[in-house]
Amino acid sequence: MKHLLQSVCLAALLLLVASCNQPSNEAYPLPMKYLPVQLEGSKMWSILNLDNGEVVAKDAYKVAPSAIINDMYFVMNDEGTFDYYNVADPKTPVNKEHFGSVTEFGVEGFALAALKGKGISIINTKCEVVKQLSDSVAECSMFNRGVAVARFINSKYGYINTEGKVVIDAKYDQASAFLYEDHATTMTQRDNDSIVDICFIDKAGNETFKTNSTMYQPVSPNFNKGVLPVVSVSKPDTVICLAPDGKDAENPFAVSEKIKKGGYDQHSATGKGSFVVVKGDKMGVVDAEGNVVIPIKYYDIVDVNANRYLLCEKKGSYFLADEKGAPVGKAKIAHANGTPTAVATRGFVDLAITASNLMSMFNEQGFMPVAKGTTVGNMLQAIDAAHPEAYVDLNVLRLNTTLIYFDGPIASKSADGTVQFNVATAVQRVEFAFPVISYADGTEDDLVALMATHMGKNGFVSTGNNVFTSENGTAVALGYEKGVVRISYFMNADQATPLPAESRKALKAAKK
């Protein structure tokens, strides 16, 4: 899968971008005429016209713009907040106030966004609020086919429409978007059980089929061409397709026998009815009958829209091409960004709940999941144990947003070249970061202050400067800077040091 994964990693565009005239229920559901790109030799981001290959707004942005849908997109500014732009005027933000969090615009011309300190709003392409959502809505993805997945304060997922009305109640632990079709998948964890219930639903919220994780594991969360690919638990090596009613269905992406006889190492369906194929270390495209459409000579191929590809002729350099591989324009592209991934969150947090959740991660004995006395040997399950050479002279291990520091290197290389893990080396401290940049200025001050008042319940006493020690010899330091709340947990209290307390609210007041 190496080459196909590279295709997705470049821009994650596969089967998402659409030509402006296509219906939203076909293979490319989102109308994108433009693509954010980073040109070869530049650290800045530009915008590429997919119709003619011309570069517009060349080197206009320091960071990657979002996917551009119906000519609208957003960019993070220097303050860490977001501004919307229209391709027609890439220098002037459409919004008057900066947003703390945002989504891309849907086909219908609406997005979800939140100002710092405020709830989530539905906005139009002029960035005008058309509906303020209830504060019970904590998070929303973008609109797809007129509805958005929403997480509510009960931590359950449901769906809202472009009028802000709840159209499917919040009762699921996971929910997918109605991306290609009017069916989606939802999942719910059973109480006190490892079994997950899986439901297929329509846009009215009707459950058309119900199964569970002892029967199937979805390969993708999204229905496409009337089916959902799943793996049967009884036959884990076999992918089958299910219709919305749960009945077995033919695989619309299956390759023909003619393609199979072509001797390709891999093949993957595009939205054009063709297939990207791999032979050795090169890629090309064949049609449904196995005829070569684009020669097998490229290092990477990205399916961009109904009549465009990005082709990599030399590693790290892409060009825009039509469906037959002919160049479109002259741009040489290093990176691209074309998949909507943003989620809008409320511009405020419930301080008591958030403080409680953060403090539940640690006690006198350690910081979840690392207890005092934990060593490299105890952490081998979280380490790529087959490749100790990757950890030579490194003393830090990253687990998501948590950094685990050790008293010495995780692995060492001896004089004879042998590499081995230093299994007895103990954890020194654990550091955790909780970003609050999208929330109101001052959130970090209030959150840390509230945590400090309750540290006694976790078995810690203050020694000043937001440093707290326990009778077990461990210590916790609380701090914040640049819109991020930080927690440092020390296995040895003698090593504890205070963290910075840089308030965004105070800094802005000082500037005034």
Side-chain angles (χ1 to χ4, degrees), residues 266-326:
Q266 301 168 33
H267 34 67
S268 176
T270 72
K272 304 173 177 65
S274 55
F275 294 82
V276 174
V277 294
V278 178
K279 183 174 286 188
D281 64 347
K282 297 296 174 63
M283 304 174 70
V285 176
V286 300
D287 64 19
E289 297 301 314
N291 302 308
V292 175
V293 178
I294 295 179
I296 319 298
K297 66 176 187 178
Y298 295 99
Y299 286 100
D300 195 13
I301 297 178
V302 181
D303 185 16
V304 177
N305 69 12
N307 56 10
R308 294 289 183 266
Y309 290 105
L310 289 178
L311 304 181
C312 177
E313 203 162 23
K314 64 177 183 178
K315 293 183 179 180
S317 177
Y318 293 75
F319 65 91
L320 186 68
D322 66 17
E323 65 270 30
K324 295 182 179 180

Side-chain angles (χ1 to χ4, degrees), residues 7 10-23 26-37 48-53 67-71 180 269-276 285 293-294 301-311 319-326 328 336-339:
S7 295
L10 170 79
L13 297 170
L14 191 61
L15 301 184
L16 281 179
V17 187
S19 68
C20 290
N21 297 321
Q22 276 197 303
E26 294 189 359
Y28 305 89
L30 303 177
M32 302 181 193
K33 181 181 176 181
Y34 299 93
L35 183 68
V37 297
L48 182 71
N49 185 319
L50 293 173
D51 285 346
N52 56 26
I68 305 172
I69 304 173
N70 285 336
D71 297 355
Y180 301 101
T270 72
K272 304 173 177 65
S274 55
F275 294 82
V276 174
V285 176
V293 178
I294 295 179
I301 297 178
V302 181
D303 185 16
V304 177
N305 69 12
N307 56 10
R308 294 289 183 266
Y309 290 105
L310 289 178
L311 304 181
F319 65 91
L320 186 68
D322 66 17
E323 65 270 30
K324 295 182 179 180
V328 178
N337 182 45
T339 295

Side-chain angles (χ1 to χ4, degrees), residues 284-452:
V285 176
V286 300
D287 64 19
E289 297 301 314
N291 302 308
V292 175
V293 178
I294 295 179
I296 319 298
K297 66 176 187 178
Y298 295 99
Y299 286 100
D300 195 13
I301 297 178
V302 181
D303 185 16
V304 177
N305 69 12
N307 56 10
R308 294 289 183 266
Y309 290 105
L310 289 178
L311 304 181
C312 177
E313 203 162 23
K314 64 177 183 178
K315 293 183 179 180
S317 177
Y318 293 75
F319 65 91
L320 186 68
D322 66 17
E323 65 270 30
K324 295 182 179 180
V328 178
K330 298 180 180 180
K332 297 298 182 182
I333 300 161
H335 301 284
N337 182 45
T339 295
T341 57
V343 174
T345 59
R346 288 189 310 180
F348 61 93
V349 294
D350 299 298
L351 289 175
I353 295 174
T354 304
S356 177
N357 289 340
L358 291 175
M359 294 183 68
S360 69
M361 301 175 71
F362 62 88
N363 56 29
E364 298 173 80
Q365 307 305 315
F367 192 101
M368 186 175 66
V370 185
K372 182 176 182 178
T374 296
T375 64
V376 169
N378 302 134
M379 297 292 295
L380 289 180
Q381 285 187 338
I383 293 173
D384 184 2
H387 297 91
E389 66 277 4
Y391 302 91
V392 171
D393 296 332
L394 293 179
N395 73 327
V396 60
L397 177 66
R398 178 181 289 277
L399 296 179
N400 297 320
T401 57
T402 302
L403 294 176
I404 301 172
Y405 288 85
F406 294 85
D407 281 330
I410 296 172
S412 297
K413 189 173 185 178
S414 61
D416 63 3
T418 303
V419 177
Q420 61 183 9
F421 286 109
N422 299 318
V423 294
T425 300
V427 172
Q428 178 194 81
R429 72 183 189 276
V430 179
E431 294 190 355
F432 179 81
F434 178 66
V436 296
I437 190 69
S438 64
Y439 305 128
D441 296 344
T443 298
E444 57 269 50
D445 311 61
D446 297 336
L447 185 57
V448 168
L450 184 59
M451 292 174 66

Side-chain angles (χ1 to χ4, degrees), residues 37-71:
V37 297
Q38 195 173 45
L39 301 175
E40 277 189 46
S42 176
K43 295 182 179 180
M44 304 290 283
W45 283 81
S46 306
I47 295 174
L48 182 71
N49 185 319
L50 293 173
D51 285 346
N52 56 26
E54 292 183 0
V55 176
V56 298
K58 184 177 180 180
D59 292 341
Y61 306 107
K62 297 178 183 178
V63 297
S66 71
I68 305 172
I69 304 173
N70 285 336
D71 297 355

